[in-house]
Amino acid sequence: MTGLGRSGVQVSGLGLGAAPLGNLFAAITDEQAHDTVTAAWRRGVRYFDTAPHYGLGLSERRLGAALRDFPRARYAVSTKVGRRLEPVDPPHGDDLADGFAVPAAHRRVWDFSADGVRRSLEASLERLGLDRVDVVYLHDPDDHAEQAFREGYPALERLRSEGVVGAIGAGMNQAEMLTRFVRDTDVDVVLCAGRYTLLDQRAGVDLLPAARARGVSVVVGGAFNSGLLADPRPGATYDYARAPAGLLERALRMKEIADRYGVPLRAAALAFCAAHPAVASVLVGARSAAEAADCAEQFAVPVPDALWEELRESGLLPAREPAERPR
């Protein structure tokens, strides 16, 4: 377990990203969701991340129901604020336009105001069935930077000082604004999705060094870049769209090298994210018990230094990456 910044919140090196529990792209059953969380727990996962956005609250409800089987003091939960859910009556179709196979019974309202942050968190606690969460992130404030910094972030600071939450931060699919949060605020942690992977090291330029210098923890999501690094093949996805031919070729070359060392590319992808000393946890989404078990198994695979060296020599990784940390 690793602490998040100076907060005292402890997380496991591998975390479960709960977007798939909200029927990301395709529906799963309540039983499948429960079994996924249970499988992750049995393999040592003690950090679970969700958000109202994921399935219009379904992910939070399913995660909370599954976690009731376990002692509250033994795990950490994070959720997010910035999108409030407002009921739609009657529901209009489904939510697949936003990626979730659920009825459109709510609509998302962007809201990084102080009142919106508190209302969103209260609703999340109700859906989770918890009296507290350990971490709250400002969720995707890309187009709402002014309100997020002026109102949303100070609201999180107050919640932390009141003891309502243990750690605060921001979660985004970019590194630049997260770097601003690290440098200009007193966040404990930032969640960076897809920008520190075998195929994209943008977060390694400024964000990770700044976080390490200031004692801010980084949680890395999107280690597989939405699929390409899990199974590189024609038609595989990269950042939720069909992978460009050049990136597919690069991923296949990485897989060929990893195979020579007896290391699955999935294992190398996870190890790369975990290796940087600023990284406290790597979040991986799973939609079944088998996927959760596989993620844990891959996370435990040792990756020899020679593999990283060959990736660098082949020009597939920059010479300065990764900053390996034994585990």
Side-chain angles (χ1 to χ4, degrees):
M1 301 289 281
T2 302
L4 295 180
R6 296 174 294 276
S7 70
V9 174
Q10 299 282 313
V11 296
S12 50
L14 180 68
L16 181 69
L21 305 190
N23 289 357
L24 180 64
F25 303 134
I28 63 172
T29 65
D30 290 346
E31 183 179 13
Q32 285 174 298
H34 189 281
D35 290 347
T36 300
V37 175
T38 301
W41 179 277
R42 287 174 177 166
R43 285 156 181 84
V45 172
R46 296 294 182 270
Y47 173 39
F48 303 87
D49 175 73
T50 184
H53 171 56
Y54 303 155
L56 297 172
L58 179 61
S59 171
E60 290 181 317
R61 289 193 293 272
R62 283 174 164 173
L63 179 62
L67 288 176
R68 281 195 277 278
D69 292 343
F70 308 112
R72 180 63 184 91
R74 292 185 58 194
Y75 62 84
V77 174
S78 58
T79 192
K80 306 181 183 77
V81 294
R83 292 175 175 92
R84 287 190 296 102
L85 302 181
E86 291 187 348
V88 174
D89 190 20
H92 299 297
D94 58 43
D95 192 51
L96 282 171
D98 281 296
F100 297 93
V102 296
H106 293 79
R107 67 185 184 97
R108 300 170 178 86
V109 178
W110 287 103
D111 190 349
F112 290 94
S113 70
D115 179 65
V117 164
R118 285 187 175 267
R119 290 168 61 190
S120 179
L121 180 56
E122 288 170 2
S124 289
L125 290 172
E126 184 175 348
R127 286 187 291 267
L128 285 161
L130 298 174
D131 60 0
R132 63 181 173 85
V133 291
D134 302 279
V135 187
V136 177
Y137 297 107
L138 298 170
H139 196 187
D140 295 337
D142 306 65
D143 298 324
H144 309 271
E146 181 182 355
Q147 189 179 48
F149 281 96
R150 177 170 46 85
E151 299 184 51
Y153 170 74
L156 289 188
E157 268 203 343
R158 288 191 290 274
L159 289 168
R160 182 178 59 184
S161 67
E162 294 165 5
V164 177
V165 300
I168 61 173
M172 305 179 72
N173 294 290
Q174 59 151 289
E176 293 77 15
M177 193 183 295
L178 291 181
T179 305
R180 181 181 168 193
F181 274 105
V182 168
R183 290 175 172 165
D184 296 347
T185 73
D186 189 33
V187 292
D188 303 291
V189 57
V190 292
L191 195 172
C192 184
R195 304 287 77 87
Y196 192 67
T197 73
L198 285 175
L199 293 172
D200 185 338
Q201 294 94 46
R202 275 175 278 180
V205 177
D206 293 316
L207 175 59
L208 270 64
R212 190 179 185 194
R214 292 182 60 88
V216 174
S217 295
V218 177
V219 172
V220 172
F224 302 140
N225 283 124
S226 85
L228 180 57
L229 286 169
D231 183 16
R233 55 180 171 74
T237 55
Y238 176 83
D239 285 358
Y240 305 104
R242 187 183 180 93
L247 278 177
L248 173 59
E249 180 185 358
R250 190 171 158 206
L252 287 169
R253 289 174 62 199
M254 288 180 167
K255 182 178 186 302
E256 181 182 349
I257 291 172
D259 285 348
R260 288 205 296 271
Y261 290 91
V263 175
L265 186 60
R266 301 190 308 286
L270 293 173
F272 177 85
C273 296
H276 197 285
V279 173
S281 186
V282 179
L283 286 175
V284 182
R287 60 189 304 110
S288 68
E291 286 188 5
D294 179 71
C295 288
E297 290 166 8
Q298 300 305 319
F299 191 72
V301 172
V303 179
D305 289 345
L307 191 156
W308 304 124
E309 292 166 6
E310 186 167 347
L311 288 174
R312 290 194 194 99
E313 291 169 358
S314 302
L316 295 170
L317 282 179
R320 67 180 185 277
E321 303 286 357
E324 292 96 351
R325 178 182 61 195
R327 61 172 177 82

